[in-house]
Amino acid sequence: MLRLSRIGKTYQLGDEALPALVDVDLHVPRNAFVALTGASGSGKSTLMNILGCLDTPTCGHYALDGEATDGLNDDQLARVRNRKIGFVFQNFHLMPRMTAWANVAQPLVYRGVAPARRRQRAEEALDRVGLGHRIHHKPSELSGGQRQRVAIARALVGEPPLLLADEPTGNLDSKTAAEIMSVLAGLHAQGMTLVIVTHEPDIAAQCHRVVRLHDGRIVDDTAQRQASAEGARAAMRSTDIVQ
């Protein structure tokens, strides 16, 4: 699904070159459930931006779903993002004056999907995350967990093969965070490929693989035989929350 070979990213600050990623090799197969972890400044957010085609590496090779991204211009990268990647952010990034279904439908506008079909697919995506009864509510009328589920539905509406989540539980209390992880576990069980950036060990423990970065390098890549006890409980709850 994702294949990175000797990826490097360097930022130029005046006369000083600041390496953010150094010789990163990473292969993420289809239907993986991966956590990217590391301290602040470790490079995990830079790596997430490259995985999401929001930024380009200084050197190296990145292929997404078998398609090389090297040399693509901004418009071409935007088309790759729209077709193949769903994004979930810590701060939700919902339009405050739009209803839940309108927020979810927004990515389909850029695909030229007809309005009636946009509405139908948005409602189906909201049903998928357990919010079919909140389609007419605006973000201010929803809890933090509900807003994050709207954001997940928006990421799903285009049926991308890859979901990238940047600190998806960072603004949530522990109970709501468990609910969101249940939703993500349910999506993985349905066949999605998920990559999550998190600094929270208990969240990383619920993923099937943990990749840890330090000073721009991958220093550990561990496949977890099974999730933690909390992760197992979250997976068991996923059927009730997602369906």
Side-chain angles (χ1 to χ4, degrees), residues 86-144:
F87 294 93
V88 179
F89 301 99
Q90 178 177 351
N91 293 319
F92 318 134
H93 295 323
L94 300 177
M95 302 296 291
R97 297 184 180 182
M98 297 172 65
T99 61
W101 80 261
N103 266 287
V104 172
Q106 195 62 28
L108 301 179
V109 173
Y110 305 112
R111 291 195 183 187
V113 177
R117 180 60 176 150
R118 291 201 301 264
R119 173 75 176 254
Q120 178 186 0
R121 288 178 61 175
E123 292 182 6
E124 290 170 352
L126 285 164
D127 276 335
R128 194 173 174 187
V129 299
L131 278 185
H133 61 301
R134 298 288 193 188
I135 64 172
H136 298 297
H137 288 67
K138 294 180 180 179
S140 62
E141 301 169 321
L142 301 172
S143 68

Side-chain angles (χ1 to χ4, degrees), residues 1-233:
M1 184 69 199
L2 309 174
R3 189 174 294 275
L4 294 85
S5 177
R6 304 203 67 180
I7 290 290
K9 180 66 180 182
T10 301
Y11 295 102
Q12 199 70 32
L13 185 61
D15 295 331
E16 185 178 4
L18 302 176
L21 294 174
V22 181
D23 284 338
V24 170
D25 292 316
L26 181 66
H27 174 226
V28 177
R30 193 173 296 277
N31 194 215
F33 193 4
V34 181
L36 300 180
T37 69
S40 178
S42 63
K44 60 184 185 296
S45 293
T46 300
L47 179 56
M48 176 68 87
N49 287 339
I50 289 174
L51 292 177
C53 296
L54 296 168
D55 199 358
T56 55
T58 305
C59 60
H61 175 75
Y62 173 38
L64 168 59
D65 199 22
E67 179 180 351
T69 64
D70 310 350
L72 298 183
N73 61 34
D74 289 344
D75 288 341
Q76 291 169 325
L77 289 172
R79 284 194 289 272
V80 170
R81 289 194 300 270
N82 190 259
R83 288 185 292 111
K84 296 193 174 183
I85 307 171
F87 294 93
V88 179
F89 301 99
Q90 178 177 351
N91 293 319
F92 318 134
H93 295 323
L94 300 177
M95 302 296 291
R97 297 184 180 182
M98 297 172 65
T99 61
W101 80 261
N103 266 287
V104 172
Q106 195 62 28
L108 301 179
V109 173
Y110 305 112
R111 291 195 183 187
V113 177
R117 180 60 176 150
R118 291 201 301 264
R119 173 75 176 254
Q120 178 186 0
R121 288 178 61 175
E123 292 182 6
E124 290 170 352
L126 285 164
D127 276 335
R128 194 173 174 187
V129 299
L131 278 185
H133 61 301
R134 298 288 193 188
I135 64 172
H136 298 297
H137 288 67
K138 294 180 180 179
S140 62
E141 301 169 321
L142 301 172
S143 68
Q146 288 171 336
R147 279 178 277 174
Q148 191 60 293
R149 284 199 246 172
V150 172
I152 293 172
R154 180 185 57 194
L156 297 176
V157 74
E159 300 180 351
L162 172 66
L163 184 69
L164 299 179
D166 191 359
E167 300 283 4
T169 62
N171 283 339
L172 305 174
D173 60 68
S174 58
K175 179 178 181 295
T176 308
E179 293 175 358
I180 293 303
M181 289 304 295
S182 294
V183 172
L184 296 178
L187 295 174
H188 172 257
Q190 294 169 16
M192 284 207 74
T193 304
L194 288 90
V195 179
I196 298 175
V197 164
T198 183
H199 67 279
E200 300 174 81
D202 58 326
I203 297 299
Q206 297 177 50
C207 301
H208 294 187
R209 177 179 168 194
V210 178
V211 176
R212 185 165 65 88
L213 289 96
H214 180 73
D215 289 343
R217 298 177 184 271
I218 293 177
V219 294
D220 188 56
D221 187 345
T222 302
Q224 304 188 125
R225 290 187 179 273
Q226 63 183 51
S228 67
E230 176 57 31
R233 287 192 294 270

